Amino acid sequence: MPRQLAFELGHRPAFGREDFLVAPPNEAAVALIDAWPDWPDRVVALSGPEGSGKTHLAEVWRKAAGAVSLAPEALARADVPALVAARAIILEDLAAPDGEAERALFHLVNLVREEKAFLLITARVPLARLPLTLPDLASRLRAVPQAELGPPDDALLAGILVKLFDDRQLRVAPAVIAWLAARIERSVKAARDAVAELDRASLSGKRPITVPLAAEILGAQGEMTF
């Protein structure tokens, strides 16, 4: 039978605070964001693997604080005083800044504290593990209060799958959620990839998302590496 072409129409993930699923692997990070403006420092950080929820929590804080966002690659040419004048800044996915970027970040951290503004940094690893060459910056970032987001546990992974299907306006049976949660890699990225693949397959074949479809598309044997 002819298969329907599956067009990527896109979908908008839900990034409200009420949309974030709280569980032991992320509750410290949620508590830190919820505590603003009573943070333990003017600079705080969230760390965790890709898809662990850092961007979602940063977006929650952006809306609450009216924060501006800065990409690490823009650090070297950033107008630091203008950023600090915004009173709340998000630096997302900090990894390995070069010399100019390190100096700009050092200036940013110092000025945020001097002016009593706020800075939220997100990274895939704790800030102490970033490959920095500027000793004063490394020392300051080691002292930054931070919360780590860990891999999802069973309940959180199932909840994430339900939310990802909901974000695409898809309703699936609990049996599908259980089947996927028992087989995919334990990460938000794996859940997102699996849901996207099933959405495409369902649309292309005009079939509901069921356990047989999941087994056919994603494979029924062994641990999946999505």
Side-chain angles (χ1 to χ4, degrees):
M1 294 179 61
R3 296 173 65 84
Q4 177 181 345
L5 293 177
F7 294 100
E8 287 291 341
L9 300 179
H11 66 287
R12 187 181 65 82
F15 281 126
R17 171 64 180 83
E18 68 279 5
D19 299 306
F20 194 87
L21 304 174
V22 183
N26 61 37
E27 59 189 5
V30 174
L32 181 62
I33 294 301
D34 284 350
W36 182 82
D38 298 320
W39 279 354
D41 194 347
R42 291 286 168 169
V43 182
V44 303
L46 301 177
S47 64
E50 179 184 1
S52 59
K54 303 184 302 297
T55 296
H56 190 144
L57 289 177
E59 176 64 11
V60 170
W61 184 68
R62 185 192 67 77
K63 291 177 178 177
V68 297
S69 295
L70 175 68
E73 56 268 24
L75 265 172
R77 60 182 185 277
D79 183 340
V80 172
L83 280 171
V84 175
R87 311 306 301 163
I89 308 103
I90 300 169
L91 178 60
E92 282 205 75
D93 209 18
L94 184 63
D98 60 20
E100 287 299 319
E102 283 195 40
R103 285 186 282 277
L105 180 54
F106 180 69
H107 183 28
L108 177 61
V109 169
N110 287 340
L111 195 58
V112 161
R113 286 178 171 148
E114 289 173 13
E115 298 296 325
K116 294 182 170 44
F118 293 97
L119 171 62
L120 171 65
I121 301 173
T122 72
R124 296 190 184 186
V125 299
L127 299 189
R129 290 170 50 193
L130 293 175
L132 302 172
T133 59
L134 193 62
D136 286 344
L137 175 61
S139 174
R140 278 163 175 71
L141 293 188
R142 280 197 299 270
V144 167
Q146 56 193 300
E148 290 189 54
L149 293 93
D153 57 18
D154 291 346
L156 181 55
L157 185 58
I160 288 167
L161 286 164
V162 171
K163 180 187 180 300
L164 289 170
F165 281 118
D166 282 348
D167 284 347
R168 292 172 177 265
Q169 298 184 331
L170 298 170
R171 299 294 180 266
V172 299
V176 176
I177 300 298
W179 190 94
L180 289 171
R183 289 166 175 81
I184 64 172
E185 179 185 286
R186 303 182 67 78
S187 73
V188 179
K189 181 180 184 302
R192 184 180 295 118
D193 290 347
V195 169
E197 186 66 22
L198 284 172
D199 189 10
R200 283 192 292 269
S202 174
L203 178 61
S204 177
K206 295 184 179 180
R207 298 169 59 185
I209 296 175
T210 60
V211 170
L213 179 64
E216 175 187 330
I217 300 301
L218 304 182
Q221 301 300 319
E223 288 291 321
M224 292 185 292
T225 57
F226 278 79

